[in-house]
Amino acid sequence: MAPMTVAGEEMHALVERLYPLCRSITGDGVRATLDIVGEYVPLQVHEVPTGTQVLDWTVPQEWNIREAYIADAAGKRVVDFAASSLHVLGYSVPVSATMPLAELRAHLHTLPEHPSWVPYRTSYYKPEWGFCLAQETLDALPDGDYEVRVDSTLADGHLTYAEHVVPGQVADEVIVSCHVCHPSLANDNLAGVAVAVFLARALAEQNPYYTYRFIFAPGTIGAITWLARNAERVERVKHGLVLACAGDRGRLTYKQSRRGDAEIDRVLRHVLAVSGRPHDVKEFTPYGYDERQYCSPGFDLGVGSLSRTPYAGYPEYHTSADNPDFVSPEAMEDTLAVCREAFAVLDRNRRYVNLSPYGEPQLGRRGLYDSLGGRSDAKEAQMAMLWVLSLSDGEHSLLDVAERSGLPFDTVAAAAGALHDAELIKA
């Protein structure tokens, strides 16, 4: 990994700021999260009412929580939501009762294999209540009666998601999606949110070719809601990337789209291979993050997923150990760099037509050889021009040229730019 820059530090600071908030698939925690993200990039926030039909799903009731605890006979809170939003089963219905530990145990969730960690558990679509706690905390509880309180509401409200658009030279879109529904989990997925924010800021400085649409939405139901509400826009989506688990110290992992041959798949494979970074490329599976919604056969979008260690691939996944100390500024910086490198290729990957296809055009007469004088890579740049001319038949892209020639994409793209300026090729 390259040395950390200011962006790495700022992304980590954003993760730390968002970490305490209690997020879920709906509710004020999502809104508070988007309020903070909106300080970094302007957002268009959407509120979709409870009961709205979205594809085969229905927007659920909104969940909010104010307080939750388990207190012993002396009134001491042995488990307290105020200490961590992970302590409550997500979407817990209200409860106010006193019960013996033997009865309470059915509502307690622990990780016996990691006795000091608190698990993350939810019950979105089945009315339930519960608490998550460390196994060592549970082991220390004596028998007896405990006061149990969950001060929450499940009521008609809204599902909230947001978009940020970086305008491009064309209306064709690249979507970048990340989920904002997990509570205090730093890698899954606050690191993805932070990388998306700083990627958006970087793209805004570049006058990109494509229009880039960033989607900050609750997992599964949020992506489904976006697809349901944007059916007319989907045909504009030419490429996409889901960002998740973007900050751990593991090697980069790219999960291909369902199609497997989408342009984003080829670009990520190429960028990761030429970068020399340790990485894995995995085939698509219909489980994971929201790539499975965007890639569902009715939409069949070319959307892959970039992470470091994949979901459920590290012990800290969905536990209190996935905290800000678990994510690395250097790792987030590295993930951001790969995204920028990939989109730089995607943005310049054109197909050209040779305007002088009968024999090799005289490059020297047009000053193209002279333009290479003194360059240390002059021979490579000259070969790139010849390769671009040879494969500019309207069928081959610049990425095709780079892969077939073995030349760096940047060199190929620069050669294409020079040939285009000399009116030897056209897009």
Side-chain angles (χ1 to χ4, degrees):
M1 269 181 240
M4 182 179 65
T5 68
V6 172
E9 296 174 348
E10 291 180 341
M11 285 188 287
H12 196 268
L14 177 56
V15 169
E16 290 182 312
R17 188 176 174 195
L18 293 172
Y19 182 76
L21 298 178
C22 181
R23 280 165 292 274
S24 189
I25 56 172
T26 61
D28 292 334
V30 176
R31 296 186 185 95
T33 298
L34 296 177
D35 284 346
I36 292 172
V37 170
E39 296 175 18
Y40 291 77
V41 291
L43 295 178
Q44 182 179 8
V45 178
H46 305 270
E47 297 275 7
V48 185
T50 296
T52 302
Q53 189 72 27
V54 286
L55 306 181
D56 195 46
W57 295 58
T58 303
V59 173
Q61 289 190 310
E62 182 176 324
W63 182 68
N64 286 295
I65 183 166
R66 287 158 293 279
E67 184 181 50
Y69 61 85
I70 302 172
D72 62 19
K76 177 185 176 183
R77 296 186 179 185
V78 295
V79 179
D80 194 347
F81 167 76
S84 171
S85 60
L86 293 178
H87 276 311
V88 171
L89 177 77
Y91 256 61
S92 280
V93 298
V95 61
S96 181
T98 299
M99 63 185 68
L101 181 60
E103 181 181 343
L104 179 58
R105 282 181 181 274
H107 298 275
L108 302 182
H109 305 271
T110 65
L111 291 168
E113 65 275 24
H114 295 289
S116 64
W117 297 357
V118 177
Y120 163 56
R121 299 287 185 268
T122 64
S123 185
Y124 295 142
Y125 301 106
K126 177 184 177 183
E128 182 60 272
W129 63 269
F131 288 84
C132 300
L133 65 160
Q135 181 67 44
E136 60 189 21
T137 300
L138 177 58
D139 292 343
L141 295 181
D143 289 334
D145 288 341
Y146 289 84
E147 180 191 0
V148 179
R149 179 167 172 78
V150 176
D151 181 11
S152 65
T153 54
L154 267 169
D156 288 353
H158 297 82
L159 178 145
T160 310
Y161 71 91
E163 297 174 284
H164 170 75
V165 176
V166 179
Q169 299 168 37
V170 298
D172 290 345
E173 293 188 358
V174 180
I175 58 172
V176 180
S177 181
C178 54
H179 58 276
V180 293
C181 53
H182 285 12
S184 299
L185 299 173
N187 197 40
D188 181 22
N189 188 39
L190 295 179
V193 172
V195 169
V197 166
F198 281 77
L199 177 59
R201 291 172 67 168
L203 287 168
E205 299 174 355
Q206 296 174 6
N207 185 30
Y209 176 74
Y210 288 110
T211 293
Y212 287 83
R213 183 175 299 274
F214 289 78
I215 303 169
F216 301 90
T220 305
I221 185 67
I224 286 171
T225 299
W226 185 88
L227 286 164
R229 289 165 56 87
N230 290 273
E232 78 292 344
R233 185 192 302 282
V234 165
E235 64 180 20
R236 295 188 202 169
V237 177
K238 305 305 179 185
H239 320 283
L241 192 63
V242 170
L243 287 174
C245 300
D248 67 85
R249 293 167 175 81
R251 61 199 287 144
L252 284 155
T253 301
Y254 177 68
K255 175 182 172 182
Q256 298 187 115
S257 71
R258 188 181 75 97
R259 285 150 47 181
D261 62 351
E263 190 170 341
I264 191 72
D265 300 327
R266 294 187 59 209
V267 167
L268 261 297
R269 290 196 303 260
H270 175 78
V271 166
L272 289 169
V274 302
S275 74
R277 293 176 174 90
H279 69 277
D280 293 311
V281 175
K282 296 186 177 295
E283 296 293 328
F284 176 82
T285 62
Y287 187 74
Y289 292 110
D290 284 327
E291 67 278 356
R292 68 190 196 271
Q293 311 307 333
Y294 301 118
C295 292
S296 57
F299 296 107
D300 195 25
L301 299 178
V303 177
S305 176
L306 183 66
S307 64
R308 303 196 72 85
T309 307
Y311 60 90
Y314 51 97
E316 297 85 355
Y317 178 77
H318 280 192
T319 78
S320 58
D322 183 358
N323 57 45
D325 291 337
F326 179 66
V327 298
S328 154
E330 293 86 354
M332 285 188 285
E333 179 75 32
D334 190 48
T335 307
L336 175 63
V338 169
C339 291
R340 295 187 66 177
E341 291 165 24
F343 288 164
V345 172
L346 196 66
D347 237 34
R348 295 176 292 165
N349 191 30
R350 307 277 185 280
R351 287 174 170 80
Y352 289 92
V353 174
N354 189 333
L355 298 178
S356 182
Y358 299 101
E360 181 181 304
Q362 190 175 11
L363 300 181
R365 175 165 62 85
R366 295 171 170 85
L368 292 171
Y369 280 149
D370 293 342
S371 70
L372 305 177
R375 285 178 53 166
S376 60
D377 64 343
K379 184 175 179 60
E380 190 175 69
Q382 178 181 332
M383 286 302 301
M385 286 187 185
L386 297 177
W387 272 108
V388 170
L389 286 168
S390 179
L391 294 180
S392 289
D393 53 8
E395 299 295 327
H396 292 86
S397 69
L398 294 186
L399 184 56
D400 291 324
V401 176
E403 291 179 341
R404 185 163 173 180
S405 67
L407 295 168
F409 182 90
D410 285 349
T411 303
V412 170
L419 292 168
H420 184 270
D421 290 346
E423 299 183 346
L424 284 172
I425 60 174
K426 70 174 183 179

